[in-house]
Amino acid sequence: MASGSRVELLDFDRAELAAELEERFNLPAFRARQLIRWVHKRRVRDFSEMTDIAKPLREAFGDAYSVYRPELAERQISRDGTRKYLFRLEDGSEIESVLIKQPDRLTLCVSSQVGCAMGCKFCRTALMKLKRNLATHEIIGQVLAVQDDAAELGLDFHNIVFMGMGEPLHNFDNVLRALRLLNDELGHDFSYRKVTVSTSGLVPAIERFGQVGAPASLAVSLNATSDDVRTALIPINKKWPIETLMRTLHELPLSSTQRITIEYVMLAGVNDTDADLQRLPGILHGLPCKINLIPYNENAGLGFKRPSTQHIARWQDRLLSRGFNTTVRWSKGEDIDAACGQLATQSSRQKRVGDRSAALS
Ligand code: SAH
Ligand code: SF4
């Protein structure tokens, strides 16, 4: 939380900041509203620019708090306009965020952890294992840093997905705080419909997500139609199998217009058989959902293949004809390794190459 002896202001949501300011400075709640507006909406980092706050108080805030930005270590721009940001954190860890260019909009994909503990067999981030959770200021810092960069180009984005490195629901408290800040109308003011948290299926955390009314939409990586295959791909399925996961999703409090996104990474010959296609509608029956088919982005050494485009199109047609709103997520930024499941930092990649050559020699 601290930077030197100063505390990271971006670690507080509005309610927490009001409590902090009252306790530390005996200040009324409107001061928290002012600060939230300055640092999140206007992206101001220097307290001396906060002109509606008297100078002595600005100085006291400046002594007490710092306003975080991650260090931009590298920015790559893909042929399709997608921008990948490599950020270096204060402990030297590296994380990636991707600003995805779609025909009609920009979507920011953020990381929630350094690495990931879930160990999915098809995912490159899994190879890093979990190094640590990101603090709230490191999650929100990605959003602000990319907004700073995009603003220079006159660009803005209105959608955020928690689909970068990490399992967001495994870092529940910090992600929830970040979601509240993103949703705060005085701060980032993203509607819950525009922020999507993707989970590999951590059932207790999904229940909690519903109970606390997290201001975001949920996406679930189903990725298989039988427990045998799903457990082989996503080890936590052993603990929370498909039926348990589906029951939990059915019980989530959703408004009548809210849909859960069911993600299905298509792996040739593994989870894309005719039997899978037949089972999927039954599994999703009655769930307010939309299906997102994700053509696999091949990672050298992991051994999975992407099915043909025709095959993916056939799945989409069939699911549409069964009444499921089904889209195909053609990944962006593949030429810069920014596509889904290809995120792992440069240093961990170099390390693996090193590991491999050591093993060969
Ligand atoms: N940890 C979360 C969010 C990050 S992964 C989760 O697993 O849901 C975001 C999505 O990318 C998930 O649906 C995951 O199944 C998918 N994915 C992982 N590796 C992939 C790859 N190589 N190609 C395509 N999708 C991949
Ligand atoms: Fe983690 Fe998601 Fe990758 Fe699985 S797919 S290892 S949960 S980032």
Side-chain angles (χ1 to χ4, degrees):
M1 206 177 213
S3 157
S5 59
R6 291 181 298 160
V7 171
E8 292 296 349
L9 197 57
L10 303 184
D11 272 335
F12 298 97
D13 66 24
R14 198 202 310 177
E16 290 168 337
L17 187 57
E20 152 83 7
L21 295 181
E22 187 186 4
E23 190 185 325
R24 195 151 169 189
F25 298 100
N26 200 20
L27 289 170
F30 85 89
R31 292 297 182 189
R33 296 200 289 273
Q34 281 181 313
L35 281 179
I36 292 279
R37 211 180 273 123
W38 278 114
V39 296
H40 292 280
K41 191 180 269 315
R42 299 176 185 151
R43 298 198 308 279
V44 167
R45 301 183 62 199
D46 183 344
F47 291 93
S48 68
E49 291 174 33
M50 302 182 184
T51 44
D52 56 2
I53 302 173
K55 201 168 171 215
L57 189 53
R58 288 192 321 236
E59 285 173 358
F61 285 161
D63 291 339
Y65 303 112
S66 56
V67 184
Y68 181 73
R69 286 296 184 277
E71 179 198 335
L72 179 59
E74 194 183 347
R75 190 188 62 189
Q76 285 174 278
I77 303 176
S78 158
R79 281 193 294 273
D80 63 31
T82 289
R83 302 159 84 84
K84 183 169 82 166
Y85 299 84
L86 178 70
F87 292 117
R88 190 164 301 127
L89 309 179
E90 277 173 320
D91 65 353
S93 299
E94 290 174 343
I95 52 165
E96 292 177 327
S97 318
V98 183
L99 187 60
I100 304 160
K101 181 127 186 272
Q102 289 155 309
D104 54 335
R105 61 184 172 185
L106 291 169
T107 296
L108 179 66
C109 176
V110 294
S111 295
S112 56
Q113 297 180 312
V114 183
C116 183
M118 300 298 127
C120 303
K121 296 294 181 284
F122 47 85
C123 173
R124 193 190 260 181
T125 305
L127 297 174
M128 289 177 72
K129 305 246 173 61
L130 178 65
K131 301 285 186 285
R132 67 173 176 86
N133 281 331
L134 295 186
T136 304
H137 70 268
E138 293 169 325
I139 299 172
I140 287 292
Q142 296 168 66
V143 177
L144 289 161
V146 175
Q147 279 172 335
D148 290 343
D149 183 64
E152 280 179 24
L153 300 166
L155 299 174
D156 198 3
F157 53 88
H158 302 286
N159 294 273
I160 297 189
V161 292
F162 282 70
M163 296 185 188
M165 282 165 56
E167 163 54 56
L169 296 190
H170 192 213
N171 182 14
F172 196 95
D173 293 342
N174 294 338
V175 166
L176 177 62
R177 202 177 286 112
L179 295 176
R180 290 190 169 137
L181 282 165
L182 290 173
N183 185 241
D184 191 330
E185 75 269 13
L186 298 180
H188 295 268
D189 200 17
F190 282 92
S191 143
Y192 73 90
R193 290 165 192 285
K194 304 282 186 176
V195 180
T196 302
V197 171
S198 174
T199 177
S200 54
L202 283 176
V203 161
I206 295 174
E207 287 168 350
R208 204 174 147 210
F209 188 89
Q211 281 157 8
V212 299
S217 304
L218 194 65
V220 178
S221 304
L222 182 61
N223 294 356
T225 65
S226 72
D227 281 320
D228 283 354
V229 173
R230 193 163 192 272
T231 301
L233 295 173
I234 307 178
I236 61 160
N237 189 69
K238 201 169 166 55
K239 198 154 181 191
W240 298 293
I242 294 174
E243 202 189 321
T244 312
L245 176 61
M246 285 302 139
R247 201 181 323 120
T248 307
L249 297 182
H250 275 280
E251 286 166 5
L252 269 184
L254 293 176
S255 79
S256 58
T257 53
Q258 218 177 334
R259 297 271 175 280
I260 296 171
T261 302
I262 298 293
E263 296 166 286
Y264 201 97
V265 181
M266 296 194 68
L267 306 163
V270 175
N271 65 0
D272 69 339
T273 65
D274 286 346
D276 288 307
L277 188 49
Q278 267 164 20
R279 276 194 295 266
L280 189 53
I283 292 174
L284 300 180
H285 181 73
L287 186 72
C289 68
K290 51 190 179 195
I291 301 174
N292 197 203
L293 301 174
I294 313 177
Y296 183 59
N297 299 307
E298 293 178 15
N299 285 308
L302 296 188
F304 295 98
K305 291 256 170 285
R306 173 188 290 191
S308 71
T309 305
Q310 295 88 311
H311 189 68
I312 296 165
R314 194 168 78 84
W315 266 58
Q316 184 183 23
D317 288 346
R318 198 66 81 73
L319 292 167
L320 282 168
S321 73
R322 297 290 302 265
F324 290 94
N325 173 346
T326 308
T327 50
V328 179
R329 187 197 302 167
W330 290 105
S331 284
K332 306 290 176 189
E334 284 178 76
D335 53 322
I336 54 169
D337 274 358
C340 282
Q342 294 194 319
L343 300 187
T345 60
Q346 211 64 39
S347 41
S348 69
R349 246 174 249 153
Q350 274 155 8
K351 184 167 165 290
R352 281 207 319 284
V353 173
D355 289 344
R356 203 168 302 141
S357 48
L360 289 174
S361 62

